[in-house]
Amino acid sequence: MAKGSLIQALYELCKKTFNPSCVSASSLSIQKLCSLMDKISPEDLGLKENVLDDESGYGFFESNPFKSSTRAARWAQPITYLHICECDSFTIGIFCLPTSSMIPLHDHPGMTVLSKILYGSMHVKAYDWMEPPCIMKSGQPNEISVRLAKFQADTVLMAPCPTRALYPKSGGNLHCFTAATSVAVLDVLAPPYSEVAGRHCTYYHDYPFSSFSTARELGMKERDEEYAWLEAIAAPDDFYMRSGDYTGPPVKEELCIPGSCTIA
């Protein structure tokens, strides 16, 4: 059963598309991966869409507040990550966000990322760095350094919608998600984050472009609203993510190169 599952097919296609020595992939290969991910439903991954919030905000727990003394507000619940598989070339997993939760603005250095909304809706704000880098300092006593980025997306996405692809230097490599409803997102990251390889996740705070300059001052023709200044920050204290159990069809271990993969 697992061998014929869509997640197994995705894993096999990722193995053909990405490899440790050359993780860049052709646009045609990325299109094939996106087309396959477009076919994957929540049920294919052991998820149920009926976890969407009810109006009381207690979607994960008792809808009747008098039935459970341990209930908690939906927006108070942490984001859950369901690990499916990982190897040197890519990782596959699912992010489950309760309503109003947010994955802060962060980057994907040197990475290609494919994201498919499985159910629900979320607001996406995304940027790409301007090249060559444009860096400014505030000149204040508590001086901060900011780098110029250009808006790539500021929109609400709702399932079903096409799989989105971002690349190392285009497509919205820096982005943040805010769950408008309970939402689940299937992600492929190639290659995975790696401290050893220098691919660590950096978080950012964004400032309006006018906070530090104007387009005219920098000799730019576009409107100020098309840009923002990003400051690298520590991971926000209120950002909490926990691991969950992936219960969908497993990826067959015997199809991995021995020692190269970790499987949920």
Side-chain angles (χ1 to χ4, degrees):
M1 177 180 175
K3 186 174 182 179
S5 69
L6 287 175
I7 192 62
Q8 183 70 45
L10 177 61
Y11 172 77
E12 291 298 314
L13 188 54
C14 284
K15 275 210 306 182
K16 295 177 181 178
T17 304
F18 307 112
N19 63 76
S21 60
C22 181
V23 295
S24 60
S26 68
S27 58
L28 179 59
S29 297
I30 296 299
Q31 289 175 14
K32 289 180 179 179
L33 281 168
C34 288
S35 295
L36 176 56
M37 291 177 69
D38 286 342
K39 299 176 183 178
I40 298 176
S41 69
E43 292 77 14
D44 292 323
L45 301 174
L47 299 176
K48 295 182 179 179
E49 291 190 60
N50 61 6
V51 299
L52 297 176
D53 297 273
D54 56 32
E55 293 182 357
S56 66
Y58 300 108
F60 256 167
F61 299 91
E62 294 287 350
S63 58
N64 184 337
F66 300 102
K67 285 186 178 181
S68 174
S69 61
T70 60
R71 65 183 171 79
R74 181 68 168 185
W75 49 84
Q77 297 308 302
I79 295 167
T80 301
Y81 179 70
L82 309 179
H83 172 75
I84 298 177
C85 65
E86 179 173 341
C87 58
D88 292 341
S89 303
F90 62 88
T91 183
I92 303 176
I94 304 168
F95 292 90
C96 300
L97 289 74
T99 297
S100 299
S101 63
M102 182 178 73
I103 297 179
L105 184 62
H106 62 283
D107 63 356
H108 301 84
M111 300 159 67
T112 298
V113 181
L114 309 180
S115 297
K116 159 65 185 288
I117 299 180
L118 296 166
Y119 63 73
S121 60
M122 67 182 186
H123 177 260
V124 177
K125 182 164 63 172
Y127 302 93
D128 283 324
W129 292 124
M130 291 295 294
E131 296 292 350
C134 180
I135 299 173
M136 296 190 69
K137 297 184 183 295
S138 65
Q140 302 299 318
N142 295 323
E143 188 172 71
I144 62 172
S145 177
V146 293
R147 181 175 172 182
L148 188 61
K150 187 171 184 178
F151 271 108
Q152 296 299 319
D154 189 6
T155 187
V156 174
L157 300 177
M158 179 183 298
C161 60
T163 298
R164 293 171 63 90
L166 65 85
Y167 302 92
K169 294 185 179 181
S170 64
N173 188 274
L174 306 101
H175 63 205
C176 63
F177 297 150
T178 303
T181 68
S182 173
V183 62
V185 182
L186 173 64
D187 262 7
V188 174
L189 281 69
Y193 285 111
S194 169
E195 293 285 342
V196 175
R199 294 187 303 273
H200 54 85
C201 183
T202 301
Y203 295 92
Y204 297 89
H205 177 77
D206 52 349
Y207 296 91
F209 183 75
S210 58
S211 299
F212 295 91
S213 64
T214 66
R216 180 175 298 178
E217 289 173 336
L218 295 180
M220 302 163 68
K221 297 180 180 180
E222 293 90 341
R223 296 176 300 172
D224 290 7
E225 307 88 71
E226 296 183 20
Y227 299 92
W229 295 99
L230 305 189
E231 175 196 9
I233 60 173
D237 292 336
D238 57 355
F239 178 49
Y240 173 53
M241 188 178 299
R242 65 182 178 188
S243 297
D245 294 325
Y246 169 67
T247 59
V251 172
K252 285 289 189 179
E253 287 191 59
E254 59 266 27
L255 297 181
C256 301
I257 299 173
S260 67
C261 302
T262 58
I263 305 296

